[in-house]
Amino acid sequence: MSEEQNMAKMRAALVEQVRPPRPNGIATSLTFAWRALLKIKYVPEQLLDVTFFPVMFTLMFTYLFGGALAGSTSEYLQFLIPGILVQTVIFTTVYTGVSLNDDVSKGTFDRFRSLPIWSPSPLVGALIADAVRYTIASIIVIVLGLILGFRPTGSILEIVASIVLVLIFAFSLSWIFTVIGLILQTSKAVMGISMTFLFPVTFASNIFVDPATMPGWLRAAVNANPVSMLTTAIRGLMGGRAAVAEIIWVLIASAVLILIFSPATMYLYRNKR
Amino acid sequence: MNNDLDAHNQPLAIKATGLVKRFGKHRAVDGIDLAIPQGTVYGFLGPNGAGKTTTMKMLATLLKPDEGSAQIMGHDLLKEPDAVRTCVSLTGQFASVDEDLNGIENLILIARLMGYPSRSAKKRAAELLDAFGLQDAAKRQVKKYSGGMRRRLDIAASMIVRPDLLFLDEPTTGLDPRSRNQIWDIVRALVTTGTTVLLTTQYLDEADQLADRIAVIDHGKIIAEGTSGELKASVGSGVLHVRLLDPSTRAQAQQLLSDALKTKVRLSSDSATLSAQLTGTKAASKALAALDANQIDVSEFSLGQPSLDEVFLTLTGKPAENETQKEGAKS
Ligand SMILES: Nc1ncnc2c1ncn2[C@@H]1O[C@H](COP(=O)(O)OP(=O)(O)O)[C@@H](O)[C@H]1O
Ligand SMILES: [Mg+2]
């Protein structure tokens, strides 16, 4: 093709377009969610992490310690699976910060921020896609549990409600990681710091053991840990006897997290250099 | 939108006054004024660390200026950032496309964000890929693109809805000459459609090829402004490089050349070459004749455009220092 033809083609593609009407915030957020989900197709490792850890933890704790901790492995499974559900989804939230940091450091977000769109939509879209990942993770944990012998006594509705509660908490928690993702320089650092924070928070909880045997001061700390409250709430729902007080506390903790960390995220996001 | 502004008799794409951006104590942008007419290509020329990207980010609403104000296509940068975003596009210094996705997905993403319904987004994406010579790579992950392809895709993403004003930050840095020419063609095609382009570059040659007017930026300030002709005139019309057959004749050659050209003749690190700034090309033949008359044999000579280094040397009296070199020297 000749130079002139090329030039003419280029010009034709550039001139005379009807500008489409500006999309609303929901539409642009969903578009960003579509992008994040597309990435699962190209980077399936994202899902591998989500599946690998719960499987490993469940097997390890059930068969290594289950007998000692709860008398029998099958009894321990009833106790552990709701906790593993909580832990898995909480660990999955770290990727929210990691992928945000990647986008920022690669300049992708500079383009997004220069577009005439509702400015939180890249973040909201990423969080919507995360909700999909959390749901996948939840389903994997529950199916794995069922295979190994987990038998929830709660109704389907209560089990769905427990997943929803985990998702609400995870969504609220992920705002902490968006803040970390926007402050730190590299995604490695984001991963490191986030894990350093999450390991004590999830292990100093009632996910793996009943805190009844812990020394008094530790028991008080463990019981006050929102992760413990969430785990108790989930155990209650899955066991068919909803722990209303814990559910309320989890919702309050979620609201507090959102109130503090989502404005902080938006501030950092708007003022990122 | 352009027409609106013309009606107001204000055909400027960018009008900026006293823009300042500080990072800590460091004034990355230190009082920049701009008046860029619509429909033109304007070049920011300067070394690494001069403040080009920072200025551009402020004008594209990505960074808040610490001082100063600007009107972009008639909209106030600080008071109507959203209106500004509606008429500008930014192609950043570091490719802002998503490496994990393929070419067409990247363009569909932006088209959807601009409000195209699903089907027309696909159509528009395909049309632009075709126009930018990327149709064969539509389904290839951007990770596997060459630098030039990535750049073209990045620019295509900025053209989904043709902006009134396009910011192009170092569009050809690191590209091979062929890719560079392709980008230049895109910019030229773009200008014929009425878009104003603000581009940054470290190469005088590029600014010369593309820009109607150039601002030379150093340490956050505009140190010279004008057409490329005006800038070149201010540093002389070019540079004469001479390579001698016999290095021992260099001292004599330096004397002869400086007499003939009436300027300072610099010795290069290579022991057989010298260079001098010219005020006109006629002087060059006179100078070479003087060498010949004194039996000094020249193995090679060339007349070059002044390089960015020479522009700097003339404008500031010191060589252009590179941020990274400076930092390297400190540590
Ligand atoms: N986010 C930032 N934080 C601190 N300093 C910065 C930041 N961005 C740029 N700078 C500094 O500001 C100066 C100008 O940078 P920049 O605008 O990127 O220059 P150019 O684009 O001309 O190479 C440099 O000294 C650079 O180190
Ligand atoms: Mg730059």
Side-chain angles (χ1 to χ4, degrees), chain A residues 13 17 22 35 39 111, chain B residues 82 98 105 124 154 160 192:
Chain A
Q17 299 148 45
R22 183 180 161 148
R35 160 179 180 257
K39 286 194 166 211
R111 174 178 299 284
Chain B
D82 222 52
D98 189 330
E105 285 164 348
R124 180 70 183 140
D154 213 350
I160 296 280
T192 63

Side-chain angles (χ1 to χ4, degrees), chain B residues 32-316:
Chain B
I32 281 193
D33 300 329
L34 293 165
I36 302 177
Q38 287 180 16
T40 61
V41 180
Y42 196 87
F44 277 177
L45 176 67
N48 220 345
K52 306 183 294 295
T53 299
T54 307
T55 306
M56 207 172 241
K57 281 191 169 181
M58 286 194 284
L59 295 172
T61 74
L62 296 183
L63 270 181
K64 262 213 182 70
D66 293 319
E67 287 168 35
S69 61
Q71 304 273 115
I72 310 289
M73 304 301 300
H75 302 293
D76 189 281
L77 182 65
L78 300 172
K79 295 197 192 98
E80 314 162 77
D82 222 52
V84 171
R85 283 182 207 121
T86 307
C87 44
V88 308
S89 261
L90 171 81
T91 304
Q93 180 167 3
F94 304 105
S96 52
V97 285
D98 189 330
E99 297 202 317
D100 290 328
L101 306 188
N102 67 29
I104 194 148
E105 285 164 348
N106 263 290
L107 295 189
I108 291 174
L109 172 70
I110 305 296
R112 298 284 284 143
L113 293 174
M114 296 304 261
Y116 277 92
S118 172
R119 186 169 304 182
S120 9
K122 282 186 192 127
K123 195 166 147 265
R124 180 70 183 140
E127 180 184 26
L128 278 171
L129 284 175
D130 193 31
F132 283 45
L134 291 167
Q135 60 277 31
D136 298 333
K139 293 274 162 70
R140 199 182 312 159
Q141 241 182 321
V142 173
K143 232 178 231 149
K144 296 168 191 143
Y145 276 29
S146 70
M149 291 163 73
R150 207 175 281 220
R151 263 285 143 187
R152 275 182 280 151
L153 183 67
D154 213 350
I155 298 176
S158 290
M159 292 299 128
I160 296 280
V161 172
R162 189 177 59 78
D164 297 322
L165 170 62
L166 174 68
F167 295 108
L168 271 181
D169 198 358
E170 299 203 19
T172 66
T173 301
L175 297 189
D176 59 89
R178 202 179 103 86
S179 306
R180 171 173 301 189
N181 276 321
Q182 288 173 328
I183 302 284
W184 287 0
D185 282 345
I186 292 174
V187 175
R188 290 187 186 113
L190 192 56
V191 176
T192 63
T193 65
T195 291
T196 308
V197 179
L198 173 59
L199 68 88
T200 73
T201 178
Q202 299 192 35
Y203 313 117
L204 180 62
D205 177 36
E206 178 160 270
D208 194 14
Q209 288 282 333
L210 296 176
D212 297 303
R213 291 186 79 80
I214 300 168
V216 182
I217 300 191
D218 189 30
H219 293 297
K221 289 196 170 80
I222 295 181
I223 56 172
E225 208 266 355
T227 63
S228 79
E230 289 164 358
L231 285 180
K232 276 191 265 175
S234 75
V235 292
S237 57
V239 180
L240 173 69
H241 297 277
V242 177
R243 187 180 179 82
L244 304 170
L245 209 53
D246 177 4
S248 69
T249 58
R250 190 157 80 153
Q252 195 193 351
Q254 185 180 19
Q255 189 59 49
L256 287 167
L257 286 178
S258 78
D259 288 349
L261 296 169
K262 314 233 177 338
T263 63
K264 198 161 165 281
V265 176
R266 274 178 290 145
L267 303 175
S268 311
S269 47
D270 159 8
S271 66
T273 53
L274 349 82
S275 61
Q277 247 144 45
L278 296 176
T279 41
T281 40
K282 274 221 186 84
S285 41
K286 226 173 75 191
L288 290 168
L291 293 181
D292 191 42
N294 288 274
Q295 278 88 42
I296 294 178
D297 290 323
V298 171
S299 69
E300 217 180 290
F301 71 88
S302 64
L303 268 177
Q305 243 195 10
S307 66
L308 176 57
D309 282 341
E310 280 145 353
V311 172
F312 261 84
L313 200 64
T314 316
L315 291 173
T316 64

Side-chain angles (χ1 to χ4, degrees), chain A residues 205-235:
Chain A
S205 76
N206 60 1
I207 289 181
F208 299 103
V209 289
D210 187 334
T213 59
M214 295 176 185
W217 61 271
L218 183 58
R219 194 178 340 137
V222 165
N223 283 335
N225 184 346
V227 175
S228 299
M229 291 179 193
L230 177 61
T231 308
T232 306
I234 303 299
R235 280 191 185 124

